[in-house]
Amino acid sequence: MNGTLDVVVIGGGQAGLAAGYHLRRAELDFVVLDAGAAPGGAWRHAWDSLHLFSPAAYSSLPGRIMPPQQGEPFPEARHVVEYLTDYEQRYELPVVRPVRVRGVHDAGELLRVEADSGTWHARAVISATGTWSRPFVPAVPGRDTFRGRRLHTVEYRGPQDFAGQRVIVVGGGNSGAQIAADLAYDTDLTWATLRDPRYLPDDIDGRALFDAATARRRALDAGRPDTGGIAALGDIVAVPPVREARDSGLLKATPMFERLTPTGVAWPDGMTADADAVIWCTGFRPALTHLTPLGLRTAEGRIPTQGTRSLADPRVHLLGYGDWTGPASATLVGVGRTAREAVRAIAELL
Ligand SMILES: Cc1cc2nc3c(=O)[nH]c(=O)nc-3n(C[C@H](O)[C@H](O)[C@H](O)COP(=O)(O)OP(=O)(O)OC[C@H]3O[C@@H](n4cnc5c(N)ncnc54)[C@H](O)[C@@H]3O)c2cc1C
């Protein structure tokens, strides 16, 4: 068992590190517990050709600008891993890994954090476990009858695994567009999307995305009409590989199919397509099962928050899961501000 801390941060990806940066500045005692084997959070597991949807300068955590990646206006995932590794060392953040937190329990004045390799007690907890470990696949009829390869974004490595095959990519967001672009040259590709792909203007940058997310949060907080945030601008950032495939006419979307069959997919009008593989680029859910013992969820399964703070237990903050915990809180550029506000609230509470 370890001594009592002010704060335990659960998760050592970008959100956990941004929290660590502000906790250090606030001179609080803390530790970051991370299940990963090495620094980088989800970026360590991304497919080889994943590009950030914003330039390096607009993808920075507090205190340190991400350096540009030579020859890549939109850096690759491995560049982000290098940046996060350096960030962690530069600020001497007390990250302990690999440590997987199993449950956070109410222990009177304190919170008890139980992990696979120890127990910690703290006055507050910041949960920053991301979404990568909870891939979401919609319940499309026949989904489990398909006999070909079935995988989610998290399992995709690169086009080399699918050369010459008939592949169906599902999803009209950034992951779907980037993976479809990756596969457009060497496979027989079907890209199925719920609606026509909506590309953001080619010259949009990360700052514009962050500003749109901030304007939305402010409007909602002030009771004004929803501006729609980034979603009002479009769904897909046309990073160079996506733009190239699109402009070559190789990135054509088809409407979403109605069901899967043992050999492929079928549309409502009777059309079918055989496939060797279906890749679900259909998003994620927050990884929050470690908070279950605290009973913070409503009957609908949500954890109500004001900003990052749990309404049911103000000692618990949620960081980086989506706009519901702060404007653009699940992005590199946005999480710093949200982390600062979370730490400020915790410092006041303690
Ligand atoms: C395909 C894709 C592309 C994206 N592109 C961009 C982009 O271009 N620009 C941008 O700003 N954002 C982008 N994002 C969004 C966001 O920046 C990333 O999802 C980012 O990884 C989120 O960081 P995080 O720290 O919240 O979570 P993660 O990076 O997932 O880190 C969470 C950490 O917590 C650990 N963990 C999980 N559960 C536990 C537990 N129980 N106990 C201890 N540790 C635990 C994990 O091992 C991991 O190390 C993208 C997201 C995806 C999925």
Side-chain angles (χ1 to χ4, degrees), residues 94-213:
V95 185
V96 190
R97 64 167 67 89
V99 178
R100 178 166 294 281
V101 172
R102 301 286 180 205
V104 181
H105 302 261
D106 188 344
E109 296 278 286
L110 299 175
L111 292 161
R112 190 175 74 252
V113 179
E114 289 187 356
D116 54 4
S117 56
T119 301
W120 282 258
H121 285 88
R123 295 181 180 79
V125 157
I126 297 178
S127 181
T129 46
T131 58
W132 189 261
S133 58
R134 279 201 63 204
F136 172 75
V137 176
V140 178
R143 184 185 67 182
D144 300 332
T145 64
F146 177 62
R147 289 198 300 258
R149 262 182 89 185
R150 300 184 242 159
L151 55 164
H152 185 272
T153 310
V154 297
E155 292 149 310
Y156 178 74
R157 301 309 328 153
Q160 64 279 4
D161 296 340
F162 301 93
Q165 296 186 6
R166 300 157 300 178
V167 184
I168 300 192
V169 172
V170 188
N174 284 297
S175 312
Q178 286 198 29
I179 290 177
D182 219 20
L183 293 167
Y185 301 88
D186 293 326
T187 68
D188 178 356
L189 172 71
T190 302
W191 181 27
T193 59
L194 273 178
R195 57 182 178 189
D196 278 347
R198 297 188 315 142
Y199 294 96
L200 288 140
D202 284 3
D203 57 357
I204 201 134
D205 64 24
R207 176 59 57 186
L209 299 179
F210 181 56
D211 289 347

Side-chain angles (χ1 to χ4, degrees), residues 235-260:
D235 298 320
I236 301 167
V237 182
V239 295
V242 168
R243 202 179 305 170
E244 218 168 281
R246 181 197 65 190
D247 295 348
S248 317
L250 292 170
L251 206 50
K252 295 236 161 53
T254 60
M256 185 59 192
F257 47 85
E258 182 183 52
R259 62 194 163 84
L260 284 110

Side-chain angles (χ1 to χ4, degrees), residues 10-16 33-36 40-43 47 50-54 59 99-102 128-133 153 175 284 287 290 319-321 330-333:
I10 307 171
Q14 64 198 40
L33 305 179
D34 185 35
W43 298 106
W47 63 96
L50 172 65
H51 285 254
L52 281 187
F53 50 63
S54 31
S59 306
V99 178
R100 178 166 294 281
V101 172
R102 301 286 180 205
T129 46
T131 58
W132 189 261
S133 58
T153 310
S175 312
F284 301 85
H290 55 286
L319 187 63
Y321 298 102
T331 66
L332 282 152
V333 71

